[in-house]
Amino acid sequence: MDVTRSLETPITAEDVLHRRPSFGERVQQILHGRPALSPAIVLVLACIAFSFVSDRFLRPENLSLVAQQTAVVGSLAAGQTLIILTAGVDLSIGAIMVLSSLVMSKLVFDHGVPGVLALLIGAVLAVVAQAVNGLLVARIKLPPCIVTLGTLGIFTAITLIYAKGQTVTLSPDAFLLWTGKTFDIGRFHITYGVVLMLVLYVVVAFALRYTT
């Protein structure tokens, strides 16, 4: 009799509010409240899985190499984050990076331009290229996916034409290669490029958290 009566009793909104959340609901609330926690968990699980696949994965030398290899992509991800936060996407960011890097290298290798000046020219080129994307998306109101897909092909073609199928090799003491130089922290070999990436993350995090 009591069981039947309890089943027939309607559940009120007050009962729902005072109901103790289940374990799955608590986990969901934590993940929604801390968006950075989900990718951090995935990263930790991936590191654990790779450590089982190879006993060399967690060695300082290998982790140093992984950090060096992700410095470029990690730096580009900071800019891509700002775009995604504003409900956009940029498919051409990699092509722009390759084009500007090629221009900097060929200015130094073919024309003897000082490294600092070549770096500034490459940076200006990248800004102008992204300004084209911004103009088409923000002013002309074209979809960012379509715009950047088109400019991806355009900038890639310009890079291939400008390179002429040649490989540019700079001397080890060239200014543009200083970000690849390493310093040791214990058994870890850290490049200046990794340090710059971390500094960039701090600047972007500060701007997102404390500025309008």
Side-chain angles (χ1 to χ4, degrees):
M1 181 69 67
D2 295 338
V3 174
T4 304
R5 184 179 298 117
S6 62
L7 291 176
E8 293 177 353
T9 303
I11 299 177
T12 63
E14 185 177 356
D15 295 333
V16 175
L17 291 175
H18 290 84
R19 181 177 63 87
R20 184 176 181 180
S22 63
F23 174 78
E25 291 174 337
R26 291 198 299 271
V27 172
Q28 184 182 28
Q29 292 173 0
I30 294 174
L31 295 179
H32 278 290
R34 298 173 176 83
L37 192 58
S38 296
I41 293 174
V42 174
L43 177 61
V44 171
L45 292 178
C47 291
I48 294 174
F50 290 144
S51 66
F52 282 108
V53 174
S54 174
D55 57 354
R56 299 182 179 181
F57 180 77
L58 294 179
R59 292 185 179 181
E61 296 82 5
N62 184 69
L63 294 179
S64 302
L65 183 61
V66 171
Q68 295 170 23
Q69 293 176 338
T70 57
V72 174
V73 177
S75 299
L76 295 179
Q80 188 74 271
T81 299
L82 300 178
I83 297 174
I84 293 176
L85 287 176
T86 56
V89 67
D90 185 2
L91 304 177
S92 66
I93 188 170
I96 293 175
M97 183 272 296
V98 173
L99 176 59
S100 60
S101 300
L102 177 65
V103 169
M104 289 186 287
S105 301
K106 288 184 72 68
L107 286 175
V108 174
F109 183 79
D110 293 341
H111 305 286
V113 177
V116 177
L117 180 59
L119 180 64
L120 293 176
I121 294 174
V124 170
L125 175 62
V127 171
V128 171
Q130 285 290 14
V132 173
N133 288 335
L135 176 65
L136 294 175
V137 173
R139 298 300 182 184
I140 305 182
K141 305 299 182 181
L142 296 177
C145 183
I146 302 300
V147 169
T148 56
L149 180 61
T151 54
L152 165 64
I154 294 173
F155 295 136
T156 301
I158 294 175
T159 301
L160 294 174
I161 294 173
Y162 185 61
K164 298 179 181 179
Q166 299 176 350
T167 300
V168 180
T169 303
L170 299 178
S171 60
D173 58 344
F175 174 79
L176 295 178
L177 299 181
W178 74 271
T179 56
K181 296 181 179 179
T182 62
F183 61 93
D184 296 338
I185 301 179
R187 295 174 58 190
F188 291 92
H189 310 294
I190 310 299
T191 63
Y192 291 100
V194 173
V195 175
L196 287 178
M197 179 188 69
L198 297 177
V199 171
L200 178 62
Y201 282 2
V202 172
V203 172
V204 173
F206 176 83
L208 291 177
R209 182 176 293 272
Y210 298 108
T211 68
T212 306

